[in-house]
Amino acid sequence: QVQLVDAGGGLVQAGGSLRVSCVASGSSFRRYTMGWFRQAPGTEREFVAAISWIGGRTYYADSLKGRFTISRDNAKNTVSLQMNSLKPEDTAVYFCTATPSAFTTGLGYVRASNYDYWGQGTQVTVAS
């Protein structure tokens, strides 16, 4: 199976920036999609962004497009999420995730049940 370790969360002021990263290891496959979800207290886990490992195609939640940028470094087997212009409502635990599936539309990217492996989560808190 795949082991995912996500990190980089912390406390940031509203309007500030933060970068969270995730490293994958122990994979039995080479082509997979990686992404980020987030979950705030009392809410369901929601999709943030995803990226294909080989092609580098990206997909974002509509509400976050323009503020967040997902990227990957294949040499280091990592995926990162750059978060800019952060708002208090961005406060959540951010989870790295991965799946061997390749998606072609948002219908595949946004469903948490479509992903097979998850990181432990890293807390992002945006102060108002």
Side-chain angles (χ1 to χ4, degrees):
Q1 61 178 22
V2 175
Q3 303 293 326
L4 302 177
V5 179
D6 40 21
L11 176 64
V12 63
Q13 297 180 6
S17 299
L18 199 64
R19 185 181 180 91
V20 292
S21 298
C22 173
V23 59
S25 63
S27 177
S28 60
F29 54 88
R30 294 293 178 266
R31 297 182 179 182
Y32 55 97
T33 300
M34 298 188 71
W36 292 92
F37 282 71
R38 67 184 185 183
Q39 187 167 21
T43 71
E44 295 184 351
R45 192 167 298 185
E46 67 172 344
F47 174 76
V48 175
I51 185 169
S52 64
W53 194 248
I54 297 178
R57 296 179 295 276
T58 59
Y59 187 81
Y60 298 91
D62 289 340
S63 62
L64 303 177
K65 193 176 300 182
R67 293 196 299 121
F68 289 14
T69 303
I70 189 171
S71 61
R72 54 86 175 89
D73 185 336
N74 288 342
K76 297 181 179 180
N77 205 29
T78 60
V79 62
S80 299
L81 182 71
Q82 177 67 42
M83 300 177 285
N84 298 325
S85 301
L86 283 164
K87 306 173 181 179
E89 51 263 44
D90 294 319
T91 295
V93 176
Y94 284 70
F95 296 91
C96 177
T97 188
T99 177
S101 300
F103 306 123
T104 58
T105 70
L107 294 176
Y109 285 116
V110 304
R111 295 182 62 185
S113 61
N114 284 343
Y115 295 84
D116 302 287
Y117 309 103
W118 296 87
Q120 79 285 353
T122 183
Q123 176 71 48
V124 172
T125 302
V126 183
S128 61

